[in-house]
Amino acid sequence: MIYCVEDERNIRELLVYTLETTGFSAKGLSDGQELMAALKEERPELILLDIMLPGEDGYSILEKLKAASSTRSIPVIMVTAKEAEFEKVRALEGGADDYVTKPFGMMEFVARVKAVLRRCGHTGEEKEMTCGELCISVGRREVRYGDTKIDLTRKEFELLQYLMENKGLVMTRDQILCHVWGYDFDGETRTVDVHVRTLRQKLGEAGNLVETVRGVGYRIA
Ligand code: CA
């Protein structure tokens, strides 16, 4: 569960919608009071926190979250309309894990959410995904084919996870780069091909589950 604290309804709904279509569960909250009430009900994996809020502002809410032992370890991404460097520094020094500056693209936003969850050891959910005999456990970062455990590097794992999450869909090299390497990765799409090759080798028999769609990208059917 990801909480989105944002007073502007359009942005709040867009954030929740984007997260939900990416496979997260998300709840929109319009101010600090609503956040505090929601925190009593459920502990989210991540909080997106707008700075300019009616009543208590984002910095002050962040300070409270970091001061209480029950909420201290919940990662926070600050959402700011301000470009000023000192605002970002203030957010990070206050204990925020990252920030995004409005207006931001949804791809960037999702990439940042995923990056923070990864850094904090969350992967969204403790789920298992299977494709025939191939099974990946996102929480334990484990891959098995039948009874055999397969060791993958972090990027290979994330690549496989991304394809499994989008089973049946063709993912372009650019989409894969953006999701696995991050929106600001300054590399070539060939990076993807190289990793797909080593991934296939390590998967052995299951390697042919990763299909090449010529001229487009890759898919797990
Ligand atoms: Ca606002």
Side-chain angles (χ1 to χ4, degrees):
M1 171 61 70
I2 297 177
Y3 285 171
C4 305
V5 189
E6 165 66 68
D7 58 312
E8 283 163 70
R9 199 176 127 229
N10 291 345
I11 299 178
R12 186 171 67 235
E13 286 177 355
L14 181 62
L15 293 175
V16 169
Y17 172 80
T18 304
L19 288 169
E20 285 180 343
T21 54
T22 315
F24 293 101
S25 35
K27 186 187 275 179
L29 303 159
S30 58
D31 58 25
Q33 258 182 334
E34 283 190 14
L35 171 64
M36 294 307 162
L39 283 170
K40 290 196 179 103
E41 303 293 316
E42 187 181 12
R43 189 182 189 284
E45 284 161 294
L46 176 78
I47 298 172
L48 291 164
L49 184 56
D50 188 24
I51 291 180
M52 300 295 280
L53 289 167
E56 202 170 7
D57 73 17
Y59 295 122
S60 160
I61 295 169
L62 177 66
E63 204 174 302
K64 277 190 188 160
L65 291 171
K66 294 299 164 188
S69 58
S70 59
T71 51
R72 185 175 300 147
S73 60
I74 303 172
V76 176
I77 297 180
M78 300 295 274
V79 181
T80 167
K82 299 180 177 180
E83 265 299 349
E85 181 130 37
F86 74 92
E87 296 287 352
K88 297 170 185 173
V89 171
R90 190 172 164 196
L92 296 174
E93 283 184 343
D97 293 85
D98 202 357
Y99 58 82
V100 283
T101 308
K102 284 187 269 190
F104 46 81
M106 287 300 124
M107 293 277 269
E108 168 182 353
F109 163 64
V110 168
R112 284 187 181 254
V113 165
K114 286 186 173 174
V116 167
L117 288 173
R118 271 203 297 270
R119 278 209 299 277
C120 298
H122 294 276
T123 40
E125 52 267 66
E126 296 294 304
K127 63 180 177 191
E128 287 204 339
M129 291 182 284
T130 57
C131 180
E133 297 267 295
L134 184 66
C135 174
I136 86 168
S137 164
V138 176
R140 291 195 302 275
R141 294 213 148 234
E142 247 178 45
V143 179
R144 289 187 317 276
Y145 183 61
D147 295 328
T148 315
K149 205 176 145 208
I150 297 166
D151 284 320
L152 298 179
T153 65
R154 188 174 141 160
K155 286 299 174 206
E156 289 160 358
F157 184 90
E158 287 169 6
L159 170 63
L160 179 62
Q161 181 186 345
Y162 183 55
L163 291 173
M164 294 279 271
E165 280 168 352
N166 294 285
K167 199 156 74 174
L169 302 174
V170 184
M171 295 290 123
T172 66
R173 291 175 174 81
D174 283 329
Q175 281 175 317
I176 295 171
L177 264 187
C178 180
H179 276 83
V180 177
W181 278 267
Y183 68 97
D184 56 355
F185 179 73
D186 191 19
E188 297 174 38
T189 49
R190 220 182 77 81
T191 307
V192 176
D193 301 331
V194 171
H195 279 78
V196 167
R197 195 155 64 223
T198 56
L199 175 64
R200 278 190 182 131
Q201 279 164 5
K202 290 186 183 176
L203 291 177
E205 227 180 286
N208 54 24
L209 291 171
V210 183
E211 296 176 356
T212 304
V213 181
R214 200 175 289 273
V216 188
Y218 297 97
R219 160 177 74 192
I220 284 192

PDB file of all heavy atoms in Angstrom, residues 6-8 50 52-53 102, ligand 1:
ATOM      1  N   GLU A   6      -1.661  14.553  -1.033  1.00  0.00           N
ATOM      2  CA  GLU A   6      -1.630  15.640  -2.026  1.00  0.00           C
ATOM      3  C   GLU A   6      -2.996  16.323  -1.972  1.00  0.00           C
ATOM      4  O   GLU A   6      -4.021  15.658  -2.041  1.00  0.00           O
ATOM      5  CB  GLU A   6      -1.359  15.016  -3.406  1.00  0.00           C
ATOM      6  CG  GLU A   6      -1.623  15.897  -4.596  1.00  0.00           C
ATOM      7  CD  GLU A   6      -0.683  17.083  -4.678  1.00  0.00           C
ATOM      8  OE1 GLU A   6       0.512  16.884  -4.920  1.00  0.00           O
ATOM      9  OE2 GLU A   6      -1.158  18.226  -4.473  1.00  0.00           O
ATOM     10  N   ASP A   7      -2.995  17.633  -1.825  1.00  0.00           N
ATOM     11  CA  ASP A   7      -4.284  18.331  -1.681  1.00  0.00           C
ATOM     12  C   ASP A   7      -4.957  18.623  -3.017  1.00  0.00           C
ATOM     13  O   ASP A   7      -6.164  18.780  -3.087  1.00  0.00           O
ATOM     14  CB  ASP A   7      -4.115  19.627  -0.871  1.00  0.00           C
ATOM     15  CG  ASP A   7      -3.107  20.562  -1.504  1.00  0.00           C
ATOM     16  OD1 ASP A   7      -2.007  20.087  -1.850  1.00  0.00           O
ATOM     17  OD2 ASP A   7      -3.412  21.748  -1.666  1.00  0.00           O
ATOM     18  N   GLU A   8      -4.158  18.669  -4.097  1.00  0.00           N
ATOM     19  CA  GLU A   8      -4.798  18.933  -5.395  1.00  0.00           C
ATOM     20  C   GLU A   8      -5.380  17.630  -5.935  1.00  0.00           C
ATOM     21  O   GLU A   8      -4.658  16.681  -6.203  1.00  0.00           O
ATOM     22  CB  GLU A   8      -3.772  19.497  -6.388  1.00  0.00           C
ATOM     23  CG  GLU A   8      -3.464  20.961  -6.136  1.00  0.00           C
ATOM     24  CD  GLU A   8      -2.185  21.375  -6.830  1.00  0.00           C
ATOM     25  OE1 GLU A   8      -2.185  21.438  -8.068  1.00  0.00           O
ATOM     26  OE2 GLU A   8      -1.185  21.605  -6.130  1.00  0.00           O
ATOM     27  N   ASP A  50       3.335  15.578  -0.393  1.00  0.00           N
ATOM     28  CA  ASP A  50       3.399  16.900  -0.998  1.00  0.00           C
ATOM     29  C   ASP A  50       3.913  17.879   0.055  1.00  0.00           C
ATOM     30  O   ASP A  50       3.671  17.706   1.251  1.00  0.00           O
ATOM     31  CB  ASP A  50       1.983  17.295  -1.450  1.00  0.00           C
ATOM     32  CG  ASP A  50       1.982  18.576  -2.267  1.00  0.00           C
ATOM     33  OD1 ASP A  50       3.025  18.912  -2.858  1.00  0.00           O
ATOM     34  OD2 ASP A  50       0.924  19.228  -2.302  1.00  0.00           O
ATOM     35  N   MET A  52       3.523  21.522  -0.134  1.00  0.00           N
ATOM     36  CA  MET A  52       2.538  22.578   0.090  1.00  0.00           C
ATOM     37  C   MET A  52       1.168  21.958   0.321  1.00  0.00           C
ATOM     38  O   MET A  52       0.483  21.558  -0.607  1.00  0.00           O
ATOM     39  CB  MET A  52       2.478  23.510  -1.130  1.00  0.00           C
ATOM     40  CG  MET A  52       3.803  24.184  -1.448  1.00  0.00           C
ATOM     41  SD  MET A  52       4.335  25.315  -0.143  1.00  0.00           S
ATOM     42  CE  MET A  52       3.309  26.722  -0.557  1.00  0.00           C
ATOM     43  N   LEU A  53       0.798  21.898   1.589  1.00  0.00           N
ATOM     44  CA  LEU A  53      -0.496  21.313   1.954  1.00  0.00           C
ATOM     45  C   LEU A  53      -1.239  22.305   2.832  1.00  0.00           C
ATOM     46  O   LEU A  53      -0.609  23.095   3.539  1.00  0.00           O
ATOM     47  CB  LEU A  53      -0.276  20.019   2.755  1.00  0.00           C
ATOM     48  CG  LEU A  53       0.266  18.796   2.014  1.00  0.00           C
ATOM     49  CD1 LEU A  53       0.712  17.735   3.004  1.00  0.00           C
ATOM     50  CD2 LEU A  53      -0.788  18.212   1.072  1.00  0.00           C
ATOM     51  N   LYS A 102       7.344  18.716  -9.264  1.00  0.00           N
ATOM     52  CA  LYS A 102       6.232  18.887 -10.200  1.00  0.00           C
ATOM     53  C   LYS A 102       6.585  19.959 -11.221  1.00  0.00           C
ATOM     54  O   LYS A 102       7.183  20.960 -10.847  1.00  0.00           O
ATOM     55  CB  LYS A 102       4.964  19.334  -9.444  1.00  0.00           C
ATOM     56  CG  LYS A 102       4.281  18.223  -8.688  1.00  0.00           C
ATOM     57  CD  LYS A 102       2.957  18.706  -8.107  1.00  0.00           C
ATOM     58  CE  LYS A 102       3.137  19.257  -6.706  1.00  0.00           C
ATOM     59  NZ  LYS A 102       1.868  19.526  -6.004  1.00  0.00           N
TER      60      LYS A 102
HETATM   61 CA    CA B   1      -0.139  20.993  -2.754  1.00  0.00          CA
END
